[in-house]
Amino acid sequence: MRYRLVAIGLCLASLATVSFVGVPTSAAQGSKSDQGPPCDANADIDLLVLMDQSGSLATMDPTMARAEGLRELGDLLGDAGHVRLAIVGFKETAEVHRSFKSLVDAPLTTADIAAATVYDGQQTDYVVALDTAIGEFEQVGKTGDRCRVLVFFTDGLYDPLKGKSKAEEESASDLFPFVACTGNTDETSLKDRLLRIDIQTFAVLLTPGFEAKTDHEEIMATASMQVIRGLTGDGSSPLVANVPLGEHCNKWTDEDSVQTGEIIAVDEVANLANSLRRLFKH
């Protein structure tokens, strides 16, 4: 039987339950209209959960649904020796809470879950987060036909610096998407690093955190969604329908580009699991 790797229901950062979602074995196999064949049910899978730990989650996730989701993920994959799980938490910095290991060999502990679901961050730095997460995939390398899945959860906009300065706005509008989507011979973009080892990216976004209320937030929201659209290749999400293409990430969402993931919108942490069930079916 073949199935869509259930999203990881995790998506964690909000997750209230988890499952598997099928992912193409190669980014080259998908397209906007055809995501290609899903992973075989018995395929080896590397799954990394990238968890937002910003302070706003104290309000957004008061019942610690993220922790419950991780516990359920541990139970779900507890006997799946072909799946290796890694967890990275991020705020203004990023930390690897678990390197790739099978839950059969190294069960998920209460301490692991507690460390991954703190909410003490002051900022939300996507670049540090994604660089660290991709680095974990790069450490284990592209071995065999493993499916590689990155679930990136955040409840807010890209916000790497304290305050609301003009310098941050300019950096977010130009340098941030350049580093994420374009790069050069000296600096490989995050997108190219994802493509190099066929990582599928599922961005799970808590929508209240993406509602811009000021001009500054509008600029940061535009940059955030341009990059997320570019990294996933998902230009059909309603969340990006009115977002301008921008200079650096537009090539990853045009008609000729390959869709390498998906944007998943959830309205509150507690509803994450239900949203995933609607999106991903066995």
Side-chain angles (χ1 to χ4, degrees), residues 52-71:
D52 194 335
Q53 298 175 328
S54 57
S56 57
L57 282 160
T59 301
M60 294 289 195
D61 187 17
T63 63
M64 293 299 289
R66 293 172 301 144
E68 180 59 28
L70 281 177
R71 277 191 288 273

Side-chain angles (χ1 to χ4, degrees), residues 162-230:
K162 292 182 179 179
K164 304 185 188 318
S165 68
K166 186 69 173 176
E168 182 183 52
E169 294 175 0
E170 292 174 351
S171 176
S173 298
D174 188 39
L175 181 60
F176 172 41
F178 169 79
V179 169
C181 296
T182 304
N184 55 32
T185 55
D186 297 320
E187 182 74 28
T188 303
S189 72
L190 296 172
K191 177 69 173 187
D192 283 326
R193 290 170 64 192
L194 290 166
L195 291 173
R196 184 179 294 163
I197 50 178
D198 297 334
I199 299 171
Q200 303 289 315
T201 304
F202 290 82
V204 182
L205 310 181
L206 194 59
T207 54
F210 286 80
E211 297 170 358
K213 301 178 179 63
T214 67
D215 289 345
H216 175 81
E217 289 179 353
E218 184 65 37
I219 291 170
M220 303 306 286
T222 296
S224 298
M225 297 312 302
Q226 285 176 344
V227 166
I228 290 170
R229 178 173 57 195

